[in-house]
Amino acid sequence: MKEKLDKLLEHVKSSVGLQYNLKTNSLEISQKQDNKYIKIDFSEIEEVLFRDETEHKPFLQVNFVCGKKILVTDELIGFKPMPLPGLKFEKLPKVVTTTDLVSVFEAAEEALSAGMHDEVDSLKQVFTAILRGGENVGFDLTPERDWFTRLLSAKASA
């Protein structure tokens, strides 16, 4: 177990976009880009694997006892989006990050302004899949849950 934790901690310490807070039985890793963080209980880690992207940027894959996994890159924490009924899951990237929520939301704002309501509905599904995937691995995305509600109600009242 100590070897797994050391590998994870070493990677986070040497990263450009991540910060950490080491506790007695857990590690909090936060992303500088959006200040989102994930808390990892040491007892939940099954294994930590070293991976190398095609661009030769190393990252870690952290597998949890419960079957979930995250990818810890130099700047962000990646996770799988959550499949939703009616969403063409094969069109989504296999790994997303919390920062993708902003991109999808901005695309929805543009689509709404252009009157492309079908596109807004599709983007809302993509957003929800990313949001639920993030929450599933431990991110607190409570503020982001209301983004679409506010967007649609603001447009309706305009």
Side-chain angles (χ1 to χ4, degrees):
M1 177 62 97
K2 180 162 175 21
E3 182 182 316
K4 296 174 198 173
L5 298 176
D6 288 345
K7 189 187 299 186
L8 179 57
L9 194 55
E10 182 181 316
H11 180 79
V12 173
K13 280 181 179 179
S14 67
S15 73
V16 173
L18 301 174
Q19 297 173 317
Y20 70 95
N21 185 5
L22 185 60
K23 309 248 180 173
T24 304
N25 296 315
S26 65
L27 175 67
E28 287 181 1
I29 304 173
S30 62
Q31 303 172 142
K32 291 180 184 177
Q33 282 190 29
D34 63 2
N35 292 317
K36 294 294 176 190
Y37 71 91
I38 188 169
K39 180 182 173 187
I40 300 172
D41 289 324
F42 298 147
S43 63
E44 295 177 4
I45 298 174
E46 182 176 12
E47 64 183 327
V48 178
L49 305 168
F50 179 80
R51 299 283 191 229
D52 197 359
E53 291 180 283
T54 55
E55 299 170 12
H56 303 292
K57 294 181 181 176
F59 64 94
L60 294 181
Q61 177 179 319
V62 180
N63 296 337
F64 297 99
V65 175
C66 63
K68 299 173 190 174
K69 67 176 79 170
I70 58 172
L71 302 179
V72 183
T73 70
D74 191 47
E75 295 186 37
L76 296 167
I77 298 166
F79 51 88
K80 289 182 179 182
M82 184 74 68
L84 298 174
L87 178 63
K88 294 181 179 161
F89 200 65
E90 63 277 357
K91 291 188 176 185
L92 290 178
K94 290 182 180 183
V95 177
V96 293
T97 69
T98 56
T99 59
D100 291 322
L101 291 169
V102 174
S103 302
V104 174
F105 183 75
E106 288 172 348
E109 286 179 313
E110 289 177 24
L112 190 61
S113 294
M116 300 166 58
H117 298 288
D118 287 345
E119 183 70 13
V120 173
D121 290 341
S122 295
L123 289 166
K124 184 177 180 183
Q125 281 194 306
V126 171
F127 183 89
T128 302
I130 296 169
L131 181 103
R132 289 185 181 170
E135 289 178 334
N136 186 49
V137 297
F139 281 103
D140 177 8
L141 300 172
T142 304
E144 289 78 0
R145 285 193 154 275
D146 296 332
W147 287 4
F148 265 88
T149 304
R150 285 185 289 182
L151 173 68
L152 298 174
S153 65
K155 187 63 175 178
S157 65

